[in-house]
Amino acid sequence: MWNQHLEGQYKSPEDFLETVRRKNPGEAEFLQAVQEVVDSIWPYLQEHPEYFNANILDRIVEPERVVIFRVPWRDDSNNIRVNRGFRVEFNSTIGPYKGGLRFHPTVNLGILKFLGFEQVLKNSLTTLPLGGGKGGSDFDPKGKSDHEVMSFCQSFMTELQRHIGPNTDVPAGDIGVGGREIGFLFGQYKRIRNEFTGVLTGKSALWGGSLLRPEATGYGLVYFTAEMLATKGDSLKGKNVTVSGSGNVAQFATEKVTQLGGKVVSLSDSSGTVYDPDGITKEKLAFITNLKNVKRGRISEYATKYGVEFHEGKRPWFLKCDVALPCATQNEVNKEDAEMLVANGCFCVAEGANMPSEPSAIEVFQKAKILYGPGKASNAGGVAVSGLEMSQNSLRSSWSREGVDERLHDIMENIHGTCVQYGTSPDGDYVDYVKGANVGGFIKIAQSMVEQGVV
C-alpha cells in the first residue's frame, strides 16, 4: 500500500529538490545532476507509487559513505605538501562501487558527489553488476615530476586502501589520472596489502589491464552516436563533426569518427579551439596524441604546424557542423552555444564528457527536437570496458582487442535500446534520450533497493 505520509511529503519535483538543496548547500553540480534526473523520472514515479512508499528518492541521492582524508607528500625540493583526498561510495545496490579518481585543483566534495550520482545511473545502464562511486583529490599532476606524482599517489593510496577492494570498491582513472598514476597507485596497494587483485581498472595490459580501455569512452561515444543517427536512417559517413577537448576521449572519438567516414574539424583545450576544415586525419591525430599525451603541449601548436585557424579562448560550438561531441568538461555548452549549434545546422549532439551541457542548453536541443545523447548514456563506454577488465581479472584471463571491441559495441547498442524504450514519445515522433537514460537506469536500481530492504 502506498504510504500516504510520503505521498504528501513531495507534491512535486520542486518540493523534493528543495529538501536536497537544504541538505547540500553550495554543491551546484550535484544539485544540477539531481534535478535533471528527478524532473525526467517524476512522471514514471507517479505511475509506480511503490517507489515513493520505499522512499527511494531520498535514499538514492544520499551517498552510502563519504571518506575525506589528508594526503601529505614531499616535492622534489623536500618540502612537505598537503592535499585533500576523497572517495564518495554512492550506491552499491547492484554491485561494488565503481567510478574514477580525478586529480585536479577544482576537485571538491560537490563535484565528486555529482560525478558519483551520475555514475550510479550510468553503471546501471551498462547492465553490468556495478555500483557507483567517485573519488580524487585537489592535487594537480600538471607540471609535477614523476617522482612527485609517485610520492603523492603512494600517500593517497596508503589511506584509500582501507576502503577499497575487488568486491567492495574498484576505482579507475579520470581527469589527471592516467596510466602513470594508476601504476603508482596499484603498486602501493599491492605493497601494503600483499595481494595482486583487480582493485583498480585502467591498468597497463602488461599487468592485468584490458585492451581497448584507453579507447573505450571515445569509441563507445561514437558507437552510440551512430545508433542515434540510424534511427533517422542516417550515418556518420560524410558528416562534419566538431569535437571539444583533446584528451583521450576526444582523440579516440576523432579516430572512430574518421574510421566510420565522418570528418572531425575541431579539437580544443583550455587555451582555445583549432578549426581544420580539411579534417583531422589519422596522421594529424598522431601529432595531437604525441602533443597532448607525451609533450603535455597546447592545442595551438597544431594550428601552427598545419596552418589552420586557432580561436583563442573559444570553444568549437560556433563552427558549422552536422554532429557535435562535447568531450572536455562539465557545463561547457551553454544556452547561446546550443542556439548557435542548432542555427548552424547541427542535428545531433552526443556527450563524451560528464554533464557538459547546461540545463538551458538541453532545453534548446529538446525544443528543436534534434538528437541529443546525455553523457550517462553516450559516454558509458569507459566504465563498460572497466567492468570487462574486472571480469578478465576475476578469470585470470585476457581477451583480444576484437573481443573487447565487440562487447563494447554490444553494450552501447543495448544502452541505446534502453533509452529508446523508455524515452520514445507516445506518438513515436521523438526520442527523449535524457528521460530514457534516467528512467532506464533508475528502474534497475530502485527495484533492487526495494528487494534488498532498508539498507
Side-chain angles (χ1 to χ4, degrees), residues 299-446:
I299 199 68
S300 57
E301 296 177 46
Y302 177 96
T304 302
K305 180 173 177 61
Y306 292 105
V308 299
E309 297 175 16
F310 175 68
H311 298 272
E312 186 173 358
K314 284 194 172 185
R315 294 169 293 205
W317 315 127
F318 66 95
L319 299 169
K320 286 190 175 182
C321 66
D322 303 307
V323 177
L325 305 177
C327 297
T329 190
Q330 65 261 18
N331 291 329
E332 61 171 294
V333 184
N334 59 32
K335 181 181 180 181
E336 292 72 26
D337 296 328
E339 290 171 340
M340 276 193 289
L341 281 166
V342 172
N344 282 335
C346 177
F347 56 83
C348 179
V349 177
E351 297 180 340
N354 291 306
M355 205 170 72
S357 302
E358 294 182 359
S360 57
I362 297 171
E363 289 177 13
V364 171
F365 297 145
Q366 293 182 324
K367 185 177 180 181
K369 289 196 171 181
I370 70 169
L371 297 167
Y372 166 66
K376 66 169 61 70
S378 55
N379 76 17
V383 72
V385 172
S386 284
L388 299 180
E389 181 176 333
M390 291 168 63
S391 296
Q392 293 172 78
N393 291 166
S394 296
L395 295 169
R396 293 287 193 266
S397 179
S398 61
W399 300 336
S400 69
R401 180 183 176 87
E402 293 75 20
V404 176
D405 195 24
E406 183 179 349
R407 287 173 171 86
L408 169 63
H409 204 161
D410 288 345
I411 288 170
M412 299 312 297
E413 284 184 358
N414 289 336
I415 292 173
H416 181 267
T418 298
C419 292
V420 171
Q421 178 183 353
Y422 294 106
T424 301
S425 61
D427 61 7
D429 181 54
Y430 180 65
V431 178
D432 182 343
Y433 284 90
V434 176
K435 176 185 176 184
N438 286 330
V439 173
F442 173 81
I443 288 171
K444 183 177 180 180
I445 299 160

Side-chain angles (χ1 to χ4, degrees), residues 16-316:
F16 173 72
L17 291 166
E18 184 55 38
T19 300
V20 180
R21 291 187 194 104
R22 286 198 302 269
K23 286 186 175 182
N24 305 276
E27 297 178 357
E29 293 86 359
F30 175 61
L31 295 171
Q32 179 183 335
V34 171
Q35 179 165 1
E36 182 213 79
V37 171
V38 172
D39 283 345
S40 60
I41 69 171
W42 194 262
Y44 179 83
L45 289 172
Q46 301 305 300
E47 298 170 1
H48 295 82
E50 64 270 23
Y51 297 132
F52 278 111
N53 187 54
N55 208 5
I56 295 297
L57 277 185
D58 278 310
R59 293 161 63 188
I60 204 169
V61 300
E62 198 69 38
E64 292 175 7
R65 187 176 298 102
V66 175
V67 181
I68 303 177
F69 51 96
R70 180 181 63 199
V71 188
W73 57 281
R74 287 186 185 272
D75 65 19
D76 287 343
S77 299
N78 209 34
N79 298 310
I80 297 174
R81 305 286 191 90
V82 179
N83 287 94
R84 181 173 290 175
F86 303 87
R87 189 64 182 172
V88 178
E89 296 180 330
F90 219 108
N91 192 297
S92 62
T93 302
I94 60 175
Y97 308 106
K98 185 84 190 80
L101 295 171
R102 176 175 293 193
F103 293 170
H104 194 272
T106 60
V107 165
N108 58 48
L109 183 57
I111 285 178
L112 293 178
K113 283 171 65 178
F114 135 60
L115 292 168
F117 180 68
E118 286 279 290
Q119 198 76 50
V120 173
L121 293 163
K122 181 188 301 185
N123 292 359
S124 174
L125 283 170
T126 69
T127 72
L128 298 172
L130 302 172
K134 209 75 177 183
S137 173
D138 56 0
F139 172 78
D140 187 359
K142 284 188 177 179
K144 304 291 194 304
S145 69
D146 286 352
H147 181 267
E148 288 174 322
V149 172
M150 182 175 68
S151 176
F152 172 82
C153 287
Q154 289 179 339
S155 180
F156 183 88
M157 182 53 79
T158 298
E159 175 59 34
L160 186 65
Q161 57 89 22
R162 308 169 195 271
H163 311 286
I164 64 176
N167 298 308
T168 304
D169 185 353
V170 184
D174 195 274
I175 294 173
V177 180
R180 173 183 62 170
E181 289 76 17
I182 291 292
F184 293 149
L185 291 165
F186 184 84
Q188 184 71 352
Y189 181 90
K190 183 165 64 73
R191 178 187 188 186
I192 294 171
R193 302 290 287 265
N194 189 30
E195 60 183 30
F196 194 110
T197 62
V199 69
L200 290 167
T201 57
K203 302 183 292 298
S204 164
L206 296 172
W207 41 275
S210 175
L211 295 173
L212 213 78
R213 178 58 189 91
E215 297 92 334
T217 304
Y219 279 17
L221 167 65
V222 179
Y223 291 149
F224 190 91
T225 304
E227 290 295 315
M228 294 171 71
L229 292 169
T231 66
K232 302 295 184 181
D234 208 345
S235 72
L236 280 161
K237 190 172 182 179
K239 301 298 186 295
N240 277 0
V241 181
T242 50
V243 176
S244 68
S246 49
N248 266 6
V249 179
Q251 290 170 29
F252 288 114
T254 299
E255 179 180 295
K256 185 55 68 174
V257 167
T258 304
Q259 290 175 5
L260 296 182
K263 181 171 70 172
V264 174
V265 296
S266 74
L267 287 170
S268 68
D269 62 18
S270 58
S271 66
T273 293
V274 292
Y275 172 55
D276 188 341
D278 294 328
I280 298 172
T281 62
K282 181 179 179 180
E283 292 72 25
K284 292 174 179 177
L285 184 59
F287 172 81
I288 290 173
T289 299
N290 185 63
L291 172 70
K292 302 299 290 189
N293 296 12
V294 179
K295 295 183 177 179
R296 316 280 182 187
R298 310 304 292 170
I299 199 68
S300 57
E301 296 177 46
Y302 177 96
T304 302
K305 180 173 177 61
Y306 292 105
V308 299
E309 297 175 16
F310 175 68
H311 298 272
E312 186 173 358
K314 284 194 172 185
R315 294 169 293 205

